[in-house]
């Protein structure tokens, strides 16, 4: 019996994980990754660290097992019925199973000359300009914006971070956590401008280096042209299928009306699909991923998971400890004796313990405040909401 040929359009983090897991299951599959970028798969989450000089450009490379990786090879059309790919050079390739792992593209800020940070090529361009720049502006104070601002400051540039939200990373953190990050960035030479604060004359035109970090959107053009179901992302079911013999994983996929842009989600989806395609577990299902985000970039570090926004606090018990002078803050949201969410900024010593307790549903015991305790000396306050 010949091996089934699995064609993966995209050679990013989701594709690399899928290739690894297919090899781990030792199924009868021949995997080919088609990547438009000239580099083999790499860890995109570390791009800000490469920009900061913490890693060499080749350091974030990801293993792909025995898969064949075709770099610099763009797929321009998909024939789902005929199971055929058309490449940019006009050649065609057949497959048995197709996986779309086309990722996401950055949202443009509409500012002329602004860079985005989504690839190693972007890092090279930004680094080249940073070598001669005297002032940098980062537009967008989400996860990537905070990491980018910190990276440019590490290169010795005065950096202004402009964010239209009420506080930094407002999609994942509460205001106190955002303020703690604000404090830490200030010590590193980053001036933060929020929607509620005056801009101080800072505009993109007042800097000689501008980086737009305004979010991403799923890459769906190829899927849409092939007649596959697309809403925000490529619509997939619990088997991660969007059509017969056709699947989507990672940033381009939309599962149960919820698109994701997290590496952990992409890896979980890749694991499920690898189990199915290899035959190791043909009945494997993906039912969703818990909200979880984490950043560790020198002194700028935070973790957030579960339900931890203001709405989640309604009717819950909330524990907080913080040290404003150190930019440290921790928050635990409880319903009964179960953790439903947590935020940690500036000190992640207990992140692993909290995450495991949340995912397993383990009762917290009689002293939940101890779960937030770490060697860092902090002033503790506790507030309870019945």
């Amino acid at each position: 019996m010949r091996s089934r040929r699995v064609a993966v359009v995209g050679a990013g983090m989701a594709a690399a994980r899928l290739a690894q897991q297919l090899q781990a299951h030792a199924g009868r599959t021949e995997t080919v990754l088609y990547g438009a970028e000239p580099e083999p798969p790499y860890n995109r989450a570390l791009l800000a660290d490469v920009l900061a000089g913490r890693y060499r450009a080749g350091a974030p490379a990801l293993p792909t097992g025995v898969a064949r990786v075709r770099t610099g090879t763009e797929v321009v059309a998909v024939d789902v019925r005929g199971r055929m790919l058309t490449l940019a050079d006009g050649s065609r390739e057949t497959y048995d199973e197709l996986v779309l792992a086309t990722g996401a593209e950055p949202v443009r800020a509409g500012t002329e000359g602004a860079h985005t940070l989504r690839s190693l090529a972007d890092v090279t361009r930004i680094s080249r300009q940073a070598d001669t720049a005297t002032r940098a502006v980062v537009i967008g104070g989400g996860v990537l914006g905070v990491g980018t601002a910190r990276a440019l400051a590490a290169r010795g540039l005065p950096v202004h971070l402009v964010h239209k939200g009420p506080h930094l990373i407002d999609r994942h953190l509460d205001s106190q956590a955002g303020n703690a990050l604000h404090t830490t960035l200030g010590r590193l030479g980053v001036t933060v401008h929020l929607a509620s604060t005056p801009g101080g004359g800072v505009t993109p035109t007042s800097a000689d280096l501008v980086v737009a970090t305004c979010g991403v959107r799923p890459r769906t053009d190829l899927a849409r042209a092939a007649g596959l179901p697309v809403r925000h992302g490529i619509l997939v079911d619990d088997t991660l299928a969007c059509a017969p013999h056709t699947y989507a994983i990672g940033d381009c996929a939309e599962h149960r009306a919820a698109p994701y842009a997290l590496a952990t989600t992409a890896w979980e989806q890749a694991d499920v699909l690898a189990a199915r395609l290899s035959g190791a577990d043909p009945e494997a299902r993906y039912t969703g991923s818990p909200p979880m985000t984490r950043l560790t970039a020198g002194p700028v570090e935070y973790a957030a998971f579960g339900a931890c926004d203001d709405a989640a606090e309604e009717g819950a018990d909330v524990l907080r400890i913080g040290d404003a002078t150190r930019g440290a803050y921790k928050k635990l949201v409880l319903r009964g004796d179960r953790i439903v969410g947590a935020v940690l900024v500036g000190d992640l010593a207990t992140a692993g313990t909290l995450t495991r307790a949340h995912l397993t549903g383990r009762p917290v015991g009689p002293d939940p405040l101890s779960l937030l305790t770490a060697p860092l000396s902090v002033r503790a306050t506790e507030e309870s909401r019945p």
Side-chain angles (χ1 to χ4, degrees), residues 50-386:
V50 177
L51 179 61
R54 296 184 69 205
Y55 296 101
R56 292 177 293 102
L62 294 171
T64 54
V66 296
R68 187 156 61 102
V69 181
R70 298 188 58 178
T71 58
T73 305
E74 182 183 3
V75 176
V76 296
V78 174
D79 177 0
V80 175
R81 286 190 177 182
R83 300 196 210 180
M84 182 85 67
L85 303 178
T86 301
L87 308 183
D89 63 4
S91 62
R92 295 186 176 184
E93 301 280 345
T94 60
Y95 63 84
D96 296 303
E97 308 290 340
L98 174 66
V99 181
L100 296 172
T102 49
E105 59 188 355
V107 174
R108 303 289 171 174
T111 301
E112 187 176 354
H115 296 276
T116 57
L117 183 56
R118 187 68 185 173
S119 68
L120 284 171
D122 293 334
V123 172
T124 299
R125 284 189 287 268
I126 295 170
S127 294
R128 189 179 299 123
Q129 192 166 344
D131 287 340
T132 58
T134 58
R135 190 188 202 196
V137 169
V138 177
I139 305 172
V143 176
L144 181 58
V146 168
T148 302
R150 181 260 167 190
L152 292 173
R155 297 176 68 108
L157 271 174
V159 180
H160 292 264
L161 175 58
V162 181
H163 183 52
K164 66 180 181 180
H167 59 267
L168 294 174
I169 315 184
D170 48 293
R171 284 185 57 193
H172 302 289
L173 305 182
D174 62 15
S175 59
Q176 289 172 267
N179 291 339
L181 274 180
H182 192 146
T183 298
T184 300
L185 286 172
R187 291 199 194 95
L188 299 176
V190 177
T191 303
V192 178
H193 306 271
L194 302 172
S196 58
T197 59
V202 174
T203 64
T205 57
S206 67
D208 43 15
L209 173 59
V210 180
V211 183
T213 56
C214 305
V216 297
R217 60 168 62 94
R219 281 196 175 99
T220 59
D221 289 350
L222 196 63
R224 196 184 298 275
L228 296 171
V230 174
R231 187 161 47 205
H232 183 66
I234 304 168
L235 296 173
V236 298
D237 59 20
D238 287 1
T239 70
L240 297 166
C242 52
H245 306 285
T246 310
Y247 309 85
I249 59 174
D251 290 353
C252 68
E254 181 176 348
H255 174 264
R256 297 189 184 182
Y260 300 93
L262 299 172
T264 52
T265 298
W267 290 334
E268 289 170 8
Q269 292 174 347
D271 290 354
V272 169
L273 187 55
R276 293 184 61 84
L277 293 180
S278 67
D281 185 0
E283 301 305 313
R285 294 288 190 275
Y286 175 75
T287 57
S289 299
M292 190 174 301
T293 184
R294 180 167 178 158
L295 173 69
T296 303
V300 180
E301 58 178 1
Y302 72 86
F305 61 83
C308 50
D309 57 10
D310 292 339
E313 295 183 14
E314 187 68 29
D317 294 325
V318 183
L319 305 177
R320 289 187 174 91
I321 60 176
D323 183 348
T325 61
R326 295 176 183 242
Y329 171 76
K330 299 181 183 182
K331 169 183 170 182
L332 191 63
V333 183
L334 302 167
R335 291 192 181 277
D337 59 358
R338 299 298 195 275
I339 297 173
V340 297
V343 177
L344 305 172
V345 176
D347 177 18
L348 306 189
T350 59
T353 300
L354 291 172
T355 302
R356 287 189 293 273
H358 169 62
L359 293 177
T360 61
R362 189 176 74 234
V364 297
D367 183 19
L369 189 61
S370 65
L371 294 174
L372 298 180
T373 303
L376 177 67
S377 176
V378 296
R379 177 177 55 86
T381 61
E382 176 178 348
E383 70 180 48
S384 176
R385 299 184 182 183

